[in-house]
C-alpha cells in the first residue's frame, strides 16, 4: 500500500462501510454515482481482490479461444473486471450497470465493445437468450444490489455450455444474503439447468470496515473479510 493509500484508508473504510449498510437500491445507485470518480483508488486502498480472482477462475475453466469469446460483465462498475479479462485475452466484452456515472468511468477505459444502463432485478438484461459465451458478476450480489431472483436472467443470456461466474462476500453482515443466494444456485442445479464447476472460498477478499466484520475466529485474516467465487456451466442443448 502506498503512503497516499494508507492516508486515505480511514476515509475509504468509512465509505465502504456506508455502502455495505445501504439496502435500498435507489439509494445504493445514487451512492455509486457519487462514488464513481474515486472508486478505483478507493478499492485499491481496500486491497480488493475479487475482480482478479474471479477472472482467474473463469479463464481456467474456459474452453476455446478467449479472443473469440463474447463476455458479459454484469454490474460492471468502472470496468475493473474488463481490465482483468483483457489481460487474459478476452477482448470482446460488453457491460451493464445501473449507475450512469459508473458507466461513464467504464466507457473511458475503452475496453468494452458496448455498455448499457440496466438495473438488474428491476428490468431484464438487454440481450437475447443464449448470447454470451460467459457471464460474470463481481461485487454486486449483496443486500440492496442485485437480488437473488435475478440469477436466472444471467443464465438466460448465456449460451448452452457457457459459463456463469458469480461472487459474494462472506462477512457476517452478508451471510443472510449468501444463504439465500446459495439456495437459489442449488435449486437451479437441481432443476438441471446448470452444473457447479467451482466453489472457491477466499479468506483475503478485501479489508474489513470494522472488527465486527472480520467475523469470529478469523484473526488469521489480518483484518480482511472473506468472500466466495462460484462457477457454473449452463446445460448443453439436447
Amino acid at each position: 500500500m502506498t503512503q497516499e493509500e494508507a492516508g486515505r484508508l480511514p476515509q475509504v473504510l468509512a465509505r465502504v462501510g456506508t455502502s455495505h449498510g445501504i439496502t435500498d437500491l435507489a439509494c445504493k445507485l445514487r451512492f455509486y454515482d457519487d462514488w464513481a470518480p474515486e472508486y478505483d483508488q478507493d478499492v485499491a486502498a481496500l486491497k480488493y481482490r475479487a475482480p482478479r480472482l474471479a477472472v482467474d477462475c473463469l479463464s481456467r475453466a474456459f474452453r476455446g479461444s478467449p479472443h473469440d469469446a463474447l463476455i458479459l460483465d454484469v454490474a460492471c462498475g468502472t470496468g475493473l473486471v474488463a481490465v482483468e479479462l483483457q489481460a487474459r485475452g478476452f477482448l470482446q466484452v460488453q457491460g451493464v450497470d445501473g449507475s450512469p456515472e459508473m458507466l461513464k468511468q467504464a466507457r473511458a477505459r475503452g475496453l468494452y465493445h458496448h455498455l448499457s444502463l440496466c438495473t438488474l432485478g428491476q428490468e431484464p438484461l438487454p440481450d437475447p437468450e443464449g448470447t454470451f459465451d460467459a457471464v460474470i458478476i463481481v461485487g454486486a450480489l449483496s443486500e440492496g444490489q442485485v437480488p437473488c431472483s435475478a440469477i436466472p436472467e444471467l443464465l438466460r443470456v448465456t449460451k448452452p455450455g457457457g459459463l456463469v461466474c458469480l461472487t459474494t462476500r462472506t462477512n457476517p453482515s452478508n451471510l443472510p444474503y449468501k444463504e439465500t443466494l446459495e439456495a437459489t444456485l442449488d435449486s437451479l442445479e437441481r432443476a438441471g439447468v446448470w452444473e457447479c464447476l467451482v466453489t472457491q472460498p477466499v479468506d483475503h477478499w478485501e479489508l474489513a470496515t470494522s472488527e465486527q466484520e472480520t467475523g469470529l475466529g478469523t484473526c488469521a485474516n489480518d483484518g480482511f473479510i472473506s468472500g466466495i467465487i462460484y462457477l457454473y456451466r449452463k446445460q448443453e442443448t439436447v
Side-chain angles (χ1 to χ4, degrees), residues 141-160:
L141 291 173
S142 63
E143 193 66 38
Q145 291 186 269
V146 175
C148 296
S149 59
I151 299 301
E153 185 65 6
L154 306 178
L155 192 60
R156 179 187 69 81
V157 300
T158 305
K159 291 178 181 179

Side-chain angles (χ1 to χ4, degrees), residues 20 43 46-51 53-54 137-139 166-171 200-208 221 224-230:
H20 289 176
V43 297
L46 199 66
K47 299 183 180 179
Y48 181 52
R49 305 171 65 219
L53 295 173
I137 180 168
V138 176
L166 318 92
T167 76
T168 196
R169 304 189 314 274
T170 56
N171 55 305
Q200 179 185 336
V202 177
D203 286 338
H204 290 73
W205 192 255
E206 63 183 42
L207 287 174
N221 283 5
F224 282 77
I225 65 169
S226 55
I228 190 166
I229 301 165
Y230 310 94

Side-chain angles (χ1 to χ4, degrees), residues 32-102:
Y32 274 98
D33 276 338
D34 292 339
W35 193 8
E38 297 182 319
Y39 181 83
D40 286 0
Q41 62 183 3
D42 282 0
V43 297
L46 199 66
K47 299 183 180 179
Y48 181 52
R49 305 171 65 219
R52 177 174 61 82
L53 295 173
V55 174
D56 278 347
C57 181
L58 174 66
S59 62
R60 286 194 297 268
F62 190 80
R63 302 187 297 208
S65 168
H67 300 282
D68 300 326
L70 187 58
I71 311 295
L72 180 64
D73 181 8
V74 178
C76 64
T78 62
L80 295 176
V81 168
V83 172
E84 300 294 341
L85 286 167
Q86 185 182 61
R88 290 156 186 79
F90 295 96
L91 305 180
Q92 300 186 60
V93 183
Q94 298 185 22
V96 299
D97 199 273
S99 163
E101 293 302 315
M102 284 285 187

Side-chain angles (χ1 to χ4, degrees), residues 11 18 24 30 33 78 108 135 145 153 165 174 182 214-215 217:
Q11 175 188 344
T18 299
D24 177 78
R30 287 195 296 271
D33 276 338
T78 62
V135 174
Q145 291 186 269
E153 185 65 6
C165 184
N174 201 53
E182 291 187 340
T214 61

